[in-house]
Amino acid sequence: MDYFTLEEDKSLGYVAYIGCDHKWLLPGIRRCPGCQTSWGAGAKSYPSVDLTPIASLADFEEPRAEPIEEYERLRELVRPLLPPGAVVEPGTGLGPLVGKAQGPFGALVARFAWLLLARREALEKLQAEGLRGLKGFRTELRFRQRNSPELLELEFLPVGRLHPDCLPPDRKPPCPRCGRIGLTRPADMLLDAATLPSHLDLFRLEDFSTTIVCTERFVEACRHLGLDGVAFQPLPMK
């Protein structure tokens, strides 16, 4: 099985605008006692999650950094509501996308590297092809146009990692307190074949979660169905 990253296909000439964030989010960490770093990644997101059963919703509405103990407290409130296999980190987005958008849009929309949207009809066609792990959830985007499309956000599980051979040999291990890796994604990525899922055709990497990965089955289905909006780049593995 071959694997690919996907990105916005700029050759199509679409000039689309999306200004958005998720309805709720976990806070970042302020000065972790383990690595002395303040951080919040935010590439991982779960649009399927509904936080309305939580009484203190205001704790999840404002982007901010908190002491790690407060982050961990809020993370544990969220954990029972997450989909199976979910992995969270400081800044994780939850619930539907909210914001403004203006097209034109292709069948698939990859305006940001860590986020993939699809027109409902495009997602249904892909699901009918038997592709695995494709789940789309409604957005609350406000469109500045007539005949606005129904865009769904695809939810990805974080699975798979980069091979150590493409990472710096003198890298430090993840922080034992907060789990921060502290590495910049390498320009030449190499997938670790032993960590890749056999049951998903679309997923994001666990260690570099801004990277969305798809299988050749996904690429072939998009080409067969004539779905535009994204371009694919092969990813080697070892």
Side-chain angles (χ1 to χ4, degrees):
M1 178 70 70
D2 292 330
Y3 293 86
F4 300 78
T5 58
L6 52 84
E7 59 191 20
E8 184 179 25
D9 187 356
K10 294 187 169 77
S11 70
L12 298 174
Y14 293 141
V15 181
Y17 165 81
I18 300 178
C20 62
D21 209 337
H22 289 90
K23 191 168 188 175
W24 305 295
L25 75 166
L26 285 170
I29 290 175
R30 183 170 66 241
R31 198 169 177 81
C32 166
C35 61
Q36 305 302 311
T37 302
S38 298
W39 70 287
K44 293 183 176 72
S45 60
Y46 301 99
S48 66
V49 173
D50 180 8
L51 291 192
T52 54
I54 295 178
S56 55
L57 270 183
D59 289 337
F60 300 92
E61 293 175 349
E62 293 297 327
R64 66 194 189 284
E66 295 280 5
I68 193 169
E69 294 81 8
E70 176 64 1
Y71 161 74
E72 290 172 340
R73 182 186 73 83
L74 297 175
R75 181 191 63 192
E76 294 311 305
L77 290 178
V78 166
R79 196 181 295 280
L81 304 174
L82 296 172
V87 177
V88 296
E89 63 190 1
T92 293
L94 304 164
L97 278 178
V98 296
K100 298 179 180 179
Q102 183 173 353
F105 298 100
L108 302 174
V109 182
R111 192 66 185 87
F112 309 105
W114 57 90
L115 183 69
L116 181 63
L117 308 178
R119 291 176 179 261
R120 177 178 289 278
E121 58 270 23
L123 179 58
E124 290 174 348
K125 289 179 180 179
L126 288 169
Q127 290 170 330
E129 291 287 310
L131 295 177
R132 302 158 300 178
L134 301 192
K135 296 180 180 180
F137 296 90
R138 67 179 184 86
T139 63
E140 295 181 4
L141 296 172
R142 302 186 304 279
F143 290 89
R144 302 172 177 175
Q145 64 194 71
R146 294 181 179 179
N147 303 318
S148 57
E150 183 181 6
L151 294 181
L152 304 179
E153 181 185 357
L154 275 69
E155 183 173 84
F156 311 104
L157 290 179
V159 189
R161 306 179 72 85
L162 293 185
H163 196 278
D165 285 359
C166 72
L167 302 176
D170 58 347
R171 63 189 179 279
K172 296 180 180 179
C175 173
R177 186 68 176 88
C178 70
R180 181 176 180 270
I181 297 176
L183 291 176
T184 300
R185 191 183 74 176
D188 298 318
M189 291 185 287
L190 179 66
L191 294 174
D192 187 342
T195 69
L196 300 178
S198 59
H199 62 293
L200 297 173
D201 286 306
L202 196 65
F203 55 96
R204 73 169 77 249
L205 293 182
E206 183 176 349
D207 51 354
F208 291 90
S209 54
T210 56
T211 305
I212 298 172
V213 179
C214 64
T215 64
E216 61 184 306
R217 295 178 74 245
F218 184 89
V219 176
E220 290 169 357
C222 287
R223 290 172 177 166
H224 167 69
L225 295 168
L227 302 181
D228 65 354
V230 298
F232 301 99
Q233 300 296 331
L235 268 179
M237 60 181 174
K238 181 177 179 181

